[in-house]
Coordinates of all heavy atoms in Angstrom, one line a residue:
M4 N 92.2 68.7 118.5 CA 91.1 69.1 117.6 C 91.3 68.5 116.2 O 92.3 68.7 115.6 CB 91.1 70.6 117.5 CG 90.6 71.3 118.8 SD 88.9 71.2 119.0 CE 88.7 72.2 120.5
T5 N 90.2 67.8 115.7 CA 90.3 67.4 114.4 C 89.3 68.3 113.6 O 88.3 68.8 114.1 CB 89.9 65.9 114.2 OG1 88.6 65.8 114.8 CG2 90.9 65.1 115.0
I6 N 89.6 68.3 112.3 CA 88.6 69.1 111.4 C 88.5 68.2 110.2 O 89.4 67.6 109.7 CB 89.1 70.5 111.1 CG1 88.1 71.3 110.5 CG2 90.4 70.5 110.3 CD1 88.1 72.8 110.8
E7 N 87.2 68.0 109.8 CA 86.9 67.1 108.7 C 86.5 67.9 107.5 O 85.6 68.7 107.6 CB 85.8 66.2 109.1 CG 85.6 65.1 108.2 CD 84.3 64.3 108.4 OE1 83.9 64.1 109.6 OE2 83.6 64.0 107.4
V8 N 87.2 67.7 106.4 CA 87.0 68.5 105.2 C 86.8 67.6 104.0 O 87.5 66.6 103.8 CB 88.2 69.4 104.9 CG1 88.0 70.3 103.7 CG2 88.6 70.2 106.1
H9 N 85.7 67.8 103.3 CA 85.6 67.1 102.0 C 84.7 67.9 101.1 O 84.1 68.9 101.4 CB 85.0 65.7 102.3 CG 83.7 65.7 103.0 ND1 83.6 65.6 104.4 CD2 82.4 65.7 102.5 CE1 82.3 65.6 104.7 NE2 81.6 65.7 103.6
T10 N 84.6 67.4 99.8 CA 83.8 68.1 98.8 C 82.4 67.4 98.7 O 82.4 66.2 99.0 CB 84.4 68.1 97.4 OG1 84.7 66.8 97.0 CG2 85.8 68.9 97.5
L11 N 81.4 68.1 98.3 CA 80.1 67.5 98.1 C 79.6 67.9 96.7 O 80.1 68.9 96.1 CB 79.1 68.2 99.1 CG 79.3 67.8 100.6 CD1 78.3 68.7 101.4 CD2 79.1 66.4 100.8
D12 N 78.6 67.1 96.2 CA 77.9 67.4 95.0 C 78.9 67.6 93.8 O 78.9 68.6 93.1 CB 77.1 68.7 95.1 CG 76.0 68.5 96.1 OD1 75.7 67.4 96.6 OD2 75.4 69.5 96.6
D13 N 79.8 66.6 93.7 CA 80.8 66.7 92.6 C 81.7 67.9 92.6 O 82.0 68.5 91.6 CB 80.2 66.6 91.2 CG 79.5 65.2 91.0 OD1 80.1 64.3 91.5 OD2 78.5 65.2 90.3
G14 N 82.0 68.4 93.8 CA 82.9 69.5 94.0 C 82.3 70.8 94.0 O 82.9 71.9 94.0
A15 N 80.9 70.9 94.1 CA 80.2 72.1 94.1 C 80.4 72.9 95.5 O 80.2 74.1 95.6 CB 78.7 72.0 93.8
W16 N 80.7 72.1 96.5 CA 80.8 72.7 97.8 C 82.0 72.1 98.5 O 82.4 70.9 98.3 CB 79.6 72.3 98.7 CG 78.4 73.0 98.3 CD1 77.4 72.6 97.5 CD2 77.9 74.3 98.9 NE1 76.4 73.5 97.4 CE2 76.7 74.5 98.3 CE3 78.4 75.1 99.9 CZ2 75.9 75.6 98.6 CZ3 77.7 76.3 100.2 CH2 76.4 76.5 99.5
I17 N 82.6 72.9 99.4 CA 83.5 72.3 100.4 C 82.8 72.3 101.7 O 82.2 73.3 102.2 CB 84.8 73.2 100.6 CG1 85.6 73.2 99.2 CG2 85.6 72.7 101.7 CD1 86.8 74.1 99.3
S18 N 82.8 71.1 102.3 CA 82.1 70.9 103.6 C 83.2 70.8 104.7 O 84.2 70.1 104.5 CB 81.3 69.5 103.5 OG 81.0 69.1 104.8
V19 N 83.0 71.5 105.7 CA 83.9 71.5 106.9 C 83.1 71.0 108.1 O 82.0 71.7 108.4 CB 84.5 72.9 107.1 CG1 85.5 72.8 108.3 CG2 85.2 73.4 105.9
N20 N 83.5 70.0 108.7 CA 82.8 69.4 109.9 C 81.3 69.2 109.5 O 80.4 69.6 110.3 CB 83.0 70.3 111.1 CG 84.4 70.2 111.6 OD1 85.1 69.3 111.3 ND2 84.8 71.1 112.4
N21 N 81.0 68.7 108.3 CA 79.7 68.4 107.9 C 78.8 69.6 107.7 O 77.5 69.5 107.8 CB 79.0 67.3 108.8 CG 79.8 66.0 108.7 OD1 80.1 65.6 107.6 ND2 80.1 65.4 109.8
E22 N 79.4 70.8 107.5 CA 78.6 71.9 107.2 C 79.1 72.5 105.8 O 80.3 72.6 105.6 CB 78.8 73.1 108.2 CG 77.8 73.1 109.3 CD 78.0 74.3 110.1 OE1 77.8 75.4 109.7 OE2 78.5 74.2 111.3
R23 N 78.2 72.8 104.9 CA 78.6 73.4 103.6 C 79.1 74.8 103.9 O 78.3 75.7 104.3 CB 77.4 73.4 102.7 CG 77.0 72.0 102.2 CD 75.7 72.0 101.5 NE 75.3 70.6 101.3 CZ 75.1 70.0 100.1 NH1 75.3 70.7 99.0 NH2 74.8 68.8 100.1
R24 N 80.3 75.1 103.5 CA 80.9 76.4 103.9 C 81.4 77.2 102.7 O 81.3 78.4 102.8 CB 82.1 76.1 104.9 CG 81.7 75.5 106.2 CD 80.7 76.4 106.9 NE 81.2 77.6 107.3 CZ 81.7 77.9 108.5 NH1 81.7 77.0 109.5 NH2 82.1 79.1 108.8
I25 N 81.8 76.6 101.7 CA 82.4 77.3 100.5 C 81.8 76.7 99.2 O 81.8 75.5 99.1 CB 83.9 77.2 100.4 CG1 84.5 77.7 101.7 CG2 84.4 78.0 99.3 CD1 86.0 77.5 101.8
S26 N 81.2 77.6 98.4 CA 80.6 77.2 97.2 C 81.3 77.6 96.0 O 82.1 78.5 96.0 CB 79.1 77.6 97.2 OG 79.1 79.0 96.9
V27 N 80.9 77.0 94.8 CA 81.5 77.5 93.5 C 80.8 78.8 93.1 O 80.0 79.3 93.9 CB 81.3 76.3 92.5 CG1 82.1 75.1 92.8 CG2 79.9 76.0 92.3
S28 N 81.2 79.2 91.9 CA 80.6 80.4 91.3 C 81.1 81.6 92.1 O 80.4 82.7 92.1 CB 79.1 80.4 91.3 OG 78.6 79.3 90.6
Q29 N 82.2 81.6 92.7 CA 82.9 82.8 93.2 C 84.2 83.0 92.4 O 84.7 82.1 91.9 CB 83.2 82.6 94.7 CG 82.0 82.4 95.6 CD 82.3 82.4 97.0 OE1 82.4 83.4 97.6 NE2 82.5 81.2 97.5
L30 N 84.6 84.3 92.5 CA 85.9 84.6 91.9 C 87.0 84.5 92.9 O 86.9 85.1 94.0 CB 85.9 86.0 91.3 CG 85.2 86.2 90.0 CD1 85.2 87.7 89.6 CD2 85.9 85.5 88.9
W31 N 88.1 83.8 92.6 CA 89.2 83.8 93.4 C 90.4 84.4 92.6 O 90.7 84.1 91.5 CB 89.6 82.3 93.8 CG 88.6 81.7 94.7 CD1 87.3 81.4 94.4 CD2 88.8 81.5 96.1 NE1 86.7 80.9 95.6 CE2 87.6 80.9 96.6 CE3 89.9 81.7 97.0 CZ2 87.5 80.6 97.9 CZ3 89.8 81.3 98.3 CH2 88.6 80.7 98.8
R32 N 91.0 85.4 93.3 CA 92.1 86.1 92.6 C 93.4 85.5 93.0 O 93.7 85.4 94.2 CB 92.1 87.6 93.0 CG 93.3 88.4 92.5 CD 93.0 89.8 92.5 NE 92.1 90.2 91.4 CZ 91.7 91.4 91.2 NH1 92.1 92.4 91.9 NH2 90.8 91.6 90.2
L33 N 94.2 85.0 92.0 CA 95.4 84.4 92.3 C 96.6 85.2 91.8 O 96.6 85.6 90.7 CB 95.5 83.0 91.6 CG 94.3 82.1 91.8 CD1 94.5 80.8 91.0 CD2 94.0 81.8 93.2
A34 N 97.6 85.3 92.7 CA 98.9 85.9 92.3 C 100.0 84.8 92.4 O 99.7 83.7 92.9 CB 99.3 87.0 93.2
T35 N 101.1 85.0 91.8 CA 102.2 84.0 91.7 C 101.7 82.6 91.4 O 101.9 81.7 92.1 CB 103.0 84.0 93.1 OG1 102.1 83.5 94.1 CG2 103.6 85.3 93.4
H36 N 101.1 82.5 90.3 CA 100.5 81.2 89.9 C 100.9 80.9 88.5 O 101.6 81.7 87.8 CB 98.9 81.4 89.8 CG 98.5 82.4 88.8 ND1 98.2 82.1 87.5 CD2 98.5 83.8 88.8 CE1 97.9 83.2 86.8 NE2 98.1 84.3 87.6
D37 N 100.7 79.7 88.0 CA 101.0 79.4 86.7 C 99.8 78.8 86.0 O 99.8 78.0 85.1 CB 102.2 78.4 86.5 CG 102.0 77.1 87.4 OD1 100.8 76.9 87.9 OD2 102.9 76.4 87.5
F38 N 98.6 79.4 86.4 CA 97.3 79.0 85.9 C 97.1 79.5 84.5 O 96.6 78.8 83.6 CB 96.2 79.4 86.8 CG 94.8 79.0 86.4 CD1 94.4 77.8 86.8 CD2 94.0 79.9 85.8 CE1 93.1 77.4 86.4 CE2 92.7 79.6 85.4 CZ 92.3 78.3 85.8
C39 N 97.5 80.7 84.2 CA 97.3 81.3 82.9 C 98.3 82.5 82.8 O 99.1 82.7 83.7 CB 95.9 81.9 82.9 SG 95.6 83.3 83.9
P40 N 98.3 83.2 81.6 CA 99.4 84.2 81.4 C 99.1 85.5 82.2 O 100.1 86.3 82.4 CB 99.2 84.5 79.9 CG 98.5 83.4 79.3 CD 97.6 82.9 80.4
C41 N 98.0 85.7 82.8 CA 97.7 86.9 83.5 C 98.6 87.1 84.8 O 98.8 86.1 85.5 CB 96.2 87.0 84.0 SG 95.0 86.8 82.6
E42 N 98.9 88.3 85.1 CA 99.7 88.6 86.3 C 98.9 88.2 87.5 O 99.5 87.5 88.4 CB 100.1 90.0 86.4 CG 101.2 90.3 87.4 CD 101.7 91.7 87.3 OE1 101.9 92.2 86.1 OE2 102.0 92.3 88.3
E43 N 97.7 88.6 87.6 CA 96.7 88.1 88.6 C 95.6 87.5 87.9 O 94.9 88.1 87.1 CB 96.3 89.2 89.5 CG 97.4 89.7 90.4 CD 96.9 90.6 91.5 OE1 95.7 91.1 91.4 OE2 97.6 91.0 92.4
A44 N 95.4 86.2 88.2 CA 94.2 85.5 87.5 C 93.0 85.6 88.4 O 93.0 85.5 89.6 CB 94.6 84.0 87.4
D45 N 91.9 86.0 87.7 CA 90.6 86.0 88.3 C 89.9 84.8 87.9 O 89.3 84.7 86.8 CB 89.8 87.2 87.9 CG 90.2 88.5 88.7 OD1 90.4 88.4 89.9 OD2 90.4 89.5 88.0
V46 N 89.9 83.8 88.8 CA 89.4 82.4 88.5 C 87.9 82.3 89.0 O 87.7 82.3 90.2 CB 90.3 81.3 89.0 CG1 89.7 80.0 88.7 CG2 91.7 81.5 88.5
L47 N 87.0 82.0 88.0 CA 85.6 81.7 88.4 C 85.6 80.2 88.6 O 85.9 79.4 87.8 CB 84.7 82.1 87.2 CG 83.2 81.9 87.5 CD1 82.7 82.7 88.6 CD2 82.4 82.1 86.2
V48 N 85.2 79.9 89.9 CA 85.2 78.5 90.3 C 84.1 77.7 89.7 O 83.0 78.0 89.8 CB 85.2 78.4 91.9 CG1 85.2 77.0 92.3 CG2 86.3 79.2 92.5
E49 N 84.5 76.6 89.1 CA 83.5 75.6 88.5 C 83.3 74.4 89.5 O 82.3 73.8 89.6 CB 83.9 75.2 87.2 CG 83.8 76.3 86.1 CD 84.6 76.1 84.8 OE1 85.1 75.0 84.7 OE2 84.6 77.0 84.0
A50 N 84.4 74.0 90.1 CA 84.4 72.9 91.1 C 85.6 72.9 91.9 O 86.6 73.5 91.6 CB 84.3 71.6 90.3
F51 N 85.5 72.3 93.0 CA 86.7 72.0 93.9 C 87.1 70.6 93.6 O 86.4 69.7 93.9 CB 86.4 72.3 95.4 CG 86.0 73.7 95.7 CD1 84.7 74.1 95.8 CD2 87.0 74.7 95.7 CE1 84.3 75.4 96.1 CE2 86.7 76.0 96.0 CZ 85.4 76.4 96.1
R52 N 88.4 70.5 93.1 CA 88.8 69.2 92.7 C 89.2 68.3 93.9 O 88.9 67.1 94.0 CB 90.0 69.4 91.7 CG 90.9 68.2 91.4 CD 90.2 67.1 90.5 NE 89.8 67.7 89.2 CZ 90.5 67.8 88.1 NH1 91.8 67.4 88.2 NH2 90.0 68.3 87.0
E53 N 90.0 68.9 94.8 CA 90.5 68.2 96.0 C 90.5 69.2 97.1 O 90.7 70.4 96.9 CB 92.0 67.8 95.8 CG 92.2 66.7 94.7 CD 93.7 66.4 94.6 OE1 94.2 65.7 95.5 OE2 94.4 67.0 93.7
V54 N 90.4 68.7 98.3 CA 90.6 69.5 99.5 C 91.5 68.8 100.4 O 91.5 67.5 100.4 CB 89.2 69.9 100.2 CG1 88.4 70.9 99.5 CG2 88.5 68.6 100.5
G55 N 92.2 69.5 101.2 CA 93.1 68.9 102.1 C 93.4 69.9 103.3 O 93.0 71.0 103.3
V56 N 93.9 69.3 104.3 CA 94.3 70.1 105.5 C 95.8 70.1 105.7 O 96.4 69.0 105.7 CB 93.6 69.5 106.8 CG1 93.9 70.3 108.0 CG2 92.1 69.4 106.6
S57 N 96.3 71.3 105.8 CA 97.7 71.4 106.2 C 97.7 72.4 107.4 O 97.9 73.6 107.3 CB 98.5 72.1 105.0 OG 99.8 72.3 105.3
Y58 N 97.4 71.8 108.5 CA 97.0 72.5 109.7 C 97.9 73.7 110.0 O 99.1 73.5 110.0 CB 96.9 71.5 110.9 CG 96.0 72.0 112.0 CD1 94.7 71.7 111.9 CD2 96.6 72.7 113.1 CE1 93.9 72.2 113.0 CE2 95.8 73.1 114.1 CZ 94.4 72.9 114.0 OH 93.6 73.3 115.0
P59 N 97.2 74.9 110.2 CA 95.8 75.1 110.4 C 95.1 75.5 109.0 O 94.0 75.9 109.1 CB 95.8 76.4 111.3 CG 97.0 77.1 110.9 CD 98.1 76.1 110.6
D60 N 95.9 75.4 107.9 CA 95.3 75.8 106.7 C 94.4 74.8 106.1 O 94.7 73.6 106.1 CB 96.3 76.2 105.6 CG 97.2 77.4 106.1 OD1 96.6 78.2 106.8 OD2 98.3 77.5 105.6
I61 N 93.2 75.2 105.5 CA 92.4 74.3 104.7 C 92.7 74.7 103.3 O 92.5 75.9 102.9 CB 90.9 74.5 105.0 CG1 90.6 74.4 106.5 CG2 90.1 73.5 104.3 CD1 90.9 73.2 107.2
E62 N 93.1 73.8 102.4 CA 93.5 74.1 101.1 C 92.6 73.3 100.1 O 92.1 72.2 100.4 CB 94.9 73.6 100.9 CG 95.9 74.3 101.8 CD 97.3 73.8 101.6 OE1 97.5 72.6 101.5 OE2 98.2 74.6 101.7
A63 N 92.5 73.9 98.9 CA 91.8 73.3 97.8 C 92.5 73.5 96.5 O 93.1 74.5 96.3 CB 90.3 73.8 97.8
R64 N 92.3 72.6 95.6 CA 92.6 72.8 94.2 C 91.3 73.1 93.4 O 90.4 72.3 93.5 CB 93.3 71.6 93.6 CG 94.7 71.3 94.3 CD 95.4 70.2 93.7 NE 95.8 70.5 92.3 CZ 95.8 69.6 91.3 NH1 95.5 68.4 91.5 NH2 96.2 70.0 90.2
I65 N 91.3 74.2 92.7 CA 90.1 74.8 92.1 C 90.1 74.5 90.6 O 91.1 74.8 89.9 CB 90.1 76.3 92.4 CG1 89.9 76.6 93.9 CG2 89.0 77.0 91.6 CD1 90.1 78.0 94.3
V66 N 89.0 74.0 90.1 CA 88.8 73.9 88.7 C 88.0 75.1 88.3 O 87.0 75.4 88.9 CB 87.9 72.6 88.4 CG1 87.7 72.5 86.9 CG2 88.6 71.4 88.9
G67 N 88.5 75.8 87.3 CA 87.8 77.0 86.9 C 88.3 77.7 85.7 O 89.1 77.1 85.0
E68 N 87.9 78.9 85.4 CA 88.2 79.6 84.2 C 88.6 81.0 84.6 O 87.9 81.7 85.4 CB 87.0 79.7 83.3 CG 87.3 80.5 82.0 CD 86.1 80.5 81.1 OE1 85.2 79.6 81.3 OE2 86.1 81.3 80.2
C69 N 89.7 81.5 84.1 CA 90.2 82.9 84.3 C 89.3 83.8 83.4 O 89.2 83.6 82.2 CB 91.6 83.1 83.9 SG 92.2 84.8 84.0
I70 N 88.6 84.7 84.1 CA 87.7 85.6 83.3 C 88.5 86.7 82.6 O 87.9 87.4 81.7 CB 86.7 86.3 84.2 CG1 87.3 87.2 85.3 CG2 85.8 85.2 84.9 CD1 86.3 88.1 86.0
G71 N 89.8 86.8 82.8 CA 90.6 87.8 82.1 C 91.0 87.3 80.8 O 91.0 88.0 79.8
C72 N 91.4 86.0 80.7 CA 91.9 85.5 79.4 C 91.2 84.2 78.9 O 91.5 83.8 77.8 CB 93.4 85.2 79.5 SG 93.8 83.9 80.6
G73 N 90.3 83.7 79.7 CA 89.6 82.5 79.2 C 90.2 81.2 79.4 O 89.7 80.1 79.0
T74 N 91.4 81.1 80.1 CA 92.1 79.9 80.3 C 91.3 79.0 81.3 O 90.8 79.5 82.3 CB 93.5 80.1 80.9 OG1 94.2 80.8 79.9 CG2 94.2 78.8 81.2
D75 N 91.1 77.7 80.9 CA 90.5 76.7 81.8 C 91.5 75.9 82.4 O 92.5 75.6 81.8 CB 89.6 75.8 80.9 CG 88.2 76.3 80.7 OD1 87.6 76.7 81.7 OD2 87.7 76.2 79.6
G76 N 91.3 75.5 83.6 CA 92.3 74.6 84.2 C 92.0 74.3 85.7 O 91.0 74.6 86.2
V77 N 93.1 73.8 86.3 CA 93.0 73.5 87.7 C 94.2 74.2 88.4 O 95.3 74.2 87.9 CB 93.2 72.0 87.9 CG1 93.1 71.6 89.4 CG2 92.2 71.2 87.1
T78 N 93.9 74.9 89.5 CA 94.9 75.6 90.2 C 95.8 74.7 91.1 O 95.4 73.6 91.3 CB 94.3 76.7 91.2 OG1 93.6 76.0 92.2 CG2 93.3 77.6 90.4
G79 N 96.8 75.3 91.6 CA 97.6 74.6 92.6 C 96.8 74.7 93.9 O 95.6 75.1 93.9
W80 N 97.4 74.3 95.0 CA 96.7 74.4 96.3 C 96.5 75.8 96.8 O 97.5 76.6 96.8 CB 97.4 73.5 97.3 CG 97.4 72.1 97.0 CD1 98.3 71.3 96.4 CD2 96.3 71.2 97.4 NE1 97.9 70.0 96.4 CE2 96.6 69.9 97.0 CE3 95.1 71.3 98.1 CZ2 95.8 68.8 97.2 CZ3 94.2 70.3 98.2 CH2 94.6 69.0 97.8
V81 N 95.3 76.2 97.0 CA 95.0 77.5 97.5 C 94.4 77.4 98.8 O 93.5 76.5 99.1 CB 93.9 78.2 96.5 CG1 93.5 79.5 97.0 CG2 94.4 78.2 95.1
V82 N 94.8 78.3 99.8 CA 94.3 78.3 101.1 C 92.9 78.9 101.0 O 92.7 80.0 100.6 CB 95.2 79.1 102.1 CG1 94.5 79.2 103.5 CG2 96.5 78.4 102.2
V83 N 91.9 78.2 101.5 CA 90.5 78.6 101.4 C 89.9 78.9 102.8 O 88.9 79.6 102.9 CB 89.5 77.6 100.7 CG1 90.0 77.4 99.3 CG2 89.5 76.3 101.4
G84 N 90.7 78.6 103.8 CA 90.2 78.9 105.2 C 91.2 78.3 106.2 O 92.2 77.8 105.8
R85 N 90.9 78.6 107.4 CA 91.8 78.2 108.5 C 91.0 77.5 109.6 O 89.8 78.0 109.9 CB 92.6 79.3 109.1 CG 93.6 79.8 108.1 CD 94.7 80.7 108.7 NE 95.7 80.8 107.6 CZ 95.5 81.7 106.6 NH1 94.5 82.5 106.5 NH2 96.4 81.8 105.7
A86 N 91.5 76.6 110.2 CA 90.9 75.9 111.4 C 91.6 76.4 112.6 O 92.8 76.3 112.8 CB 91.0 74.4 111.3
I87 N 90.9 77.1 113.5 CA 91.4 77.6 114.7 C 90.6 77.1 115.9 O 89.4 77.3 115.9 CB 91.4 79.1 114.7 CG1 92.3 79.6 113.6 CG2 92.0 79.7 116.1 CD1 92.2 81.1 113.3
D88 N 91.2 76.3 116.8 CA 90.5 75.6 117.9 C 89.2 74.9 117.4 O 88.2 74.9 118.0 CB 90.1 76.6 118.9 CG 91.3 77.3 119.6 OD1 92.4 76.6 119.6 OD2 91.2 78.4 120.2
G89 N 89.4 74.2 116.3 CA 88.3 73.4 115.7 C 87.2 74.2 115.0 O 86.2 73.6 114.5
E90 N 87.3 75.5 115.0 CA 86.4 76.4 114.2 C 87.0 76.7 112.9 O 88.1 76.9 112.7 CB 86.1 77.7 115.0 CG 85.2 77.5 116.2 CD 83.8 77.2 115.8 OE1 83.3 77.8 114.9 OE2 83.3 76.3 116.5
F91 N 86.1 76.8 111.9 CA 86.5 77.1 110.5 C 86.3 78.6 110.2 O 85.2 79.1 110.5 CB 85.7 76.3 109.5 CG 86.1 76.6 108.1 CD1 87.3 76.2 107.6 CD2 85.2 77.3 107.3 CE1 87.6 76.5 106.3 CE2 85.5 77.6 106.0 CZ 86.7 77.2 105.5
Y92 N 87.3 79.2 109.7 CA 87.2 80.6 109.3 C 87.6 80.7 107.8 O 88.8 80.4 107.4 CB 88.2 81.5 110.1 CG 87.8 81.5 111.6 CD1 88.4 80.5 112.4 CD2 86.9 82.4 112.1 CE1 88.0 80.5 113.8 CE2 86.6 82.4 113.4 CZ 87.1 81.5 114.3 OH 86.8 81.4 115.6
S93 N 86.6 81.1 107.0 CA 86.9 81.2 105.5 C 87.8 82.4 105.2 O 87.7 83.4 105.9 CB 85.6 81.3 104.8 OG 85.8 81.5 103.4
V94 N 88.6 82.3 104.2 CA 89.3 83.5 103.7 C 88.3 84.2 102.8 O 87.3 83.7 102.5 CB 90.5 83.1 103.0 CG1 91.5 82.4 103.9 CG2 90.2 82.3 101.7
V95 N 88.7 85.4 102.4 CA 87.8 86.2 101.5 C 88.2 85.9 100.1 O 89.4 86.1 99.7 CB 88.0 87.7 101.8 CG1 87.2 88.5 100.8 CG2 87.6 88.1 103.2
P96 N 87.3 85.3 99.3 CA 87.7 84.8 98.0 C 88.3 86.0 97.1 O 89.3 85.7 96.4 CB 86.4 84.3 97.4 CG 85.6 84.0 98.5 CD 85.9 84.9 99.6
E97 N 87.8 87.2 97.3 CA 88.2 88.3 96.4 C 89.6 88.9 96.8 O 90.1 89.7 96.1 CB 87.1 89.4 96.4 CG 85.8 89.0 95.8 CD 84.9 88.3 96.8 OE1 85.3 88.2 98.0 OE2 83.9 87.8 96.4
S98 N 90.1 88.5 97.9 CA 91.4 88.9 98.3 C 92.4 88.2 97.4 O 92.0 87.3 96.7 CB 91.7 88.7 99.8 OG 91.6 87.3 100.1
V99 N 93.7 88.5 97.5 CA 94.7 87.9 96.6 C 95.3 86.7 97.3 O 95.6 86.7 98.4 CB 95.8 88.9 96.3 CG1 96.9 88.3 95.4 CG2 95.2 90.1 95.6
H100 N 95.3 85.6 96.5 CA 95.8 84.3 97.0 C 97.1 83.9 96.4 O 97.3 84.2 95.2 CB 94.7 83.2 96.8 CG 93.4 83.6 97.4 ND1 93.1 83.5 98.8 CD2 92.3 84.2 96.9 CE1 91.9 84.0 99.0 NE2 91.4 84.5 97.9
F101 N 97.8 83.1 97.0 CA 99.1 82.7 96.5 C 99.2 81.1 96.5 O 99.5 80.5 97.5 CB 100.3 83.3 97.4 CG 100.3 84.8 97.4 CD1 99.5 85.4 98.4 CD2 100.9 85.5 96.5 CE1 99.5 86.8 98.4 CE2 100.9 86.8 96.4 CZ 100.2 87.6 97.4
P102 N 98.8 80.5 95.4 CA 98.7 79.1 95.4 C 100.1 78.5 95.6 O 101.1 79.0 95.2 CB 98.3 78.7 94.0 CG 97.6 80.0 93.5 CD 98.3 81.1 94.2
G103 N 100.1 77.4 96.3 CA 101.4 76.7 96.6 C 101.7 75.6 95.6 O 100.9 75.4 94.7
Ligands
LIG24 ZN1 94.2 84.7 82.8

């Protein structure tokens, strides 16, 4: 099974198997990160910088702003979904993520 992942519209979307699946303007809560001084960063997504597959995880580096402290930046790799038998399952953005 292969899964094809890329960004569209200058990073406004993550496309999986040619379907738009994840969009910007969502909050992603990050723990164990070095994005900003907050213990848990609430990052409002402005763009997806890069996407990649570390099977079965689909990962992205997020460009955004922490709404807690205002820090702008790019996150480490965050798991945004999983590929299981060629199907894509998104994670819940508001759950807590642990960037690698
Ligand atoms: Zn912060």
Side-chain angles (χ1 to χ4, degrees):
M4 287 287 183
T5 60
I6 193 147
E7 191 193 320
V8 182
H9 57 270
T10 59
L11 292 176
D12 301 342
D13 293 327
W16 287 90
I17 294 175
S18 162
V19 181
N20 291 342
N21 295 315
E22 268 185 68
R23 290 169 189 243
R24 298 302 297 263
I25 302 174
S26 70
V27 295
S28 304
Q29 298 186 82
L30 279 177
W31 289 72
R32 173 162 288 180
L33 309 181
T35 64
H36 63 94
D37 52 13
F38 183 81
C39 72
C41 300
E42 192 170 324
E43 287 190 352
D45 282 315
V46 177
L47 183 63
V48 178
E49 291 162 3
F51 295 101
R52 167 73 57 87
E53 293 179 78
V54 287
V56 180
S57 176
Y58 202 82
D60 293 336
I61 311 297
E62 301 176 319
R64 296 182 68 215
I65 294 169
V66 181
E68 177 178 345
C69 174
I70 62 169
C72 67
T74 297
D75 272 313
V77 183
T78 69
W80 290 97
V81 179
V82 175
V83 298
R85 289 194 173 79
I87 299 169
D88 293 337
E90 286 291 316
F91 176 73
Y92 297 90
S93 177
V94 299
V95 176
E97 298 82 7
S98 62
V99 178
H100 306 279
F101 300 88

